[in-house]
Amino acid sequence: MSAVLAAVLGATLAGCSSTGGKRAEERAAKAAQGRANVSTPRWTFAMVTHSGDGDTFWDIVQSGAKQAAAKDNIKFLYAHDVEGNKQAQNVQAMIDQKVDGLIVTLAKPDAMKDVVAKAKKAGIPVITVNSGSEKSQQFGALTHIGQDETIAGEAVGEQLNQRGKKRAVCVLHEQGNVGHEQRCEGVKKTFKGDLQNLYVEGTNMPNVQSSIEAKLQSDRDIDAVVTLGAPFAPTAVKAAEQAGSKAEVDTFDLNAKVADALKDGTLGFAVDQDPYLQGYEAVDLLWLYKYNADMLGGGRPVLTGPQIVTKDDAKALATYTKRGTR
């Protein structure tokens, strides 16, 4: 009798468990359906940049873009190539896929002019980001999001003056990048000391280190080295150590490693242009334009920097740099 009762109770409990489980599954399915049934259209936006492989700066840009895409119900595509003609080919591939919006960089504007015009002719709205603010409107883009590279360079020159520097070298790691040239020109404009440009092969870190090291060995009066990207700052520090130079290393752009180096005094200062914000706002403004014909600032460049970050500032930003959003 007890066996029968146990069997009946077991069947009853199993039935309750099955029913409860089924109801839970139904509730979860309904919740998922509710999330999927957003009221805004499902569009596809593509971002095509001049980034090289392994550049952590662009990981942060993508992080912001993906966050905005998730919020705005956007399918986000990304492609990159450091060579201008190959970047243009990537843009053409996105046009051929009939994406609903394009975000591009104009580090090498001559290579990008025709393909941006093709996107516009195809009815695909374009926003430029990071590089090429001076060509953005001319090429037919809706707006540009990033920092003014000349203004950023001027801020660096002023900071070098405040630190009492007299002789600096500006390390350009990508020849043909107009934004990099503008940065160094901006530094030269406000820096009261002597500034020299040093061109290095940015895709070859050993070359970068040896070139900076040789420069510091040949000119012992150099008291500041300015790199134009966060990944190059630690390499410049190593070069200075190997050369026996006391030159301070400063850099454009910020990431977790740079923030740590600022905190321990290995680096003097960094210039943050907020790449996360560039990616986020590019997607968000493109969505606003598609959805409601809005354009923040009436098409004028939307500036995300520059912000000078020092040792004290780096401590406050630690939470964000560690999670990869600054």
Side-chain angles (χ1 to χ4, degrees):
M1 188 69 178
S2 59
V4 173
L5 179 59
V8 171
L9 288 172
T12 302
L13 291 172
C16 290
S17 176
S18 175
T19 302
K22 185 176 182 180
R23 286 175 180 171
E25 289 176 1
E26 288 175 348
R27 286 196 296 270
K30 287 180 180 179
Q33 186 177 11
R35 288 193 298 269
N37 290 338
V38 294
S39 60
T40 56
R42 177 70 169 172
W43 289 314
T44 298
F45 293 168
M47 177 182 283
V48 182
T49 76
H50 63 279
S51 168
D53 293 331
D55 192 332
T56 56
F57 176 91
W58 292 100
D59 293 339
I60 302 174
V61 175
Q62 286 186 73
S63 179
K66 289 175 181 177
Q67 184 67 39
K71 175 181 68 71
D72 293 336
N73 192 31
I74 296 298
K75 179 181 178 181
F76 178 72
L77 306 177
Y78 181 78
H80 68 94
D81 203 291
V82 69
E83 297 293 336
N85 62 329
K86 292 181 180 179
Q87 184 192 359
Q89 290 171 11
N90 285 332
V91 174
Q92 183 61 59
M94 297 301 183
I95 295 172
D96 294 340
Q97 291 183 51
K98 301 186 186 322
V99 297
D100 300 294
L102 269 168
I103 302 159
V104 302
T105 60
L106 301 179
K108 294 163 184 175
D110 291 342
M112 295 293 292
K113 182 177 181 179
D114 291 344
V115 77
V116 171
K118 289 179 182 179
K120 185 178 179 182
K121 186 176 181 180
I124 301 173
V126 179
I127 284 178
T128 61
V129 65
N130 182 260
S131 301
S133 60
E134 71 287 347
K135 295 289 186 180
S136 179
Q137 189 175 44
Q138 179 184 332
F139 285 8
L142 297 172
T143 191
H144 178 84
I145 302 170
Q147 72 179 3
D148 184 298
E149 303 294 12
T150 301
I151 292 174
E154 291 172 358
V156 169
E158 292 168 354
Q159 186 68 20
L160 291 175
N161 292 335
Q162 291 178 22
R163 291 169 175 266
K165 303 305 177 183
K166 303 299 182 183
R167 193 170 177 84
V169 60
C170 194
V171 183
L172 297 97
H173 62 266
E174 186 182 329
Q175 293 195 36
N177 186 321
V178 294
H180 289 183
E181 297 286 350
Q182 289 168 348
R183 287 179 178 182
C184 292
E185 288 170 4
V187 177
K188 191 170 186 177
K189 186 175 180 180
T190 57
F191 182 44
K192 295 179 180 178
D194 177 65
L195 179 75
Q196 304 173 49
N197 287 353
L198 176 65
Y199 293 90
V200 298
E201 188 180 343
T203 56
N204 184 343
M205 277 299 184
N207 170 268
V208 174
Q209 182 173 333
S210 62
S211 297
I212 297 173
E213 186 177 336
K215 183 65 176 176
L216 293 175
Q217 288 174 336
S218 66
D219 190 343
R220 292 292 177 180
D221 291 332
I222 293 174
D223 55 9
V225 177
V226 179
T227 61
L228 301 187
F232 301 93
T235 301
V237 170
K238 290 179 183 178
E241 291 173 351
Q242 291 297 316
S245 171
K246 295 182 179 180
E248 177 183 281
V249 177
D250 308 303
T251 190
F252 282 81
D253 300 336
L254 181 71
N255 62 17
K257 288 184 178 179
V258 167
D260 288 341
L262 288 170
K263 284 187 288 184
D264 65 24
T266 306
L267 294 177
F269 67 90
V271 186
D272 184 23
Q273 60 174 306
D274 208 333
Y276 180 88
L277 187 59
Q278 290 180 13
Y280 190 98
E281 286 302 315
V283 170
D284 215 29
L285 292 188
L286 201 51
W287 180 86
L288 284 168
Y289 179 79
K290 288 281 294 182
Y291 185 72
N292 202 47
D294 294 321
M295 186 44 56
L296 188 65
R300 292 177 179 270
V302 178
L303 301 184
T304 62
Q307 176 185 351
I308 299 293
V309 180
T310 63
K311 182 176 183 177
D312 293 338
D313 302 315
K315 293 177 182 177
L317 293 173
T319 299
Y320 314 114
T321 55
K322 286 180 180 178
R323 75 182 182 194
T325 56
R326 289 296 292 268

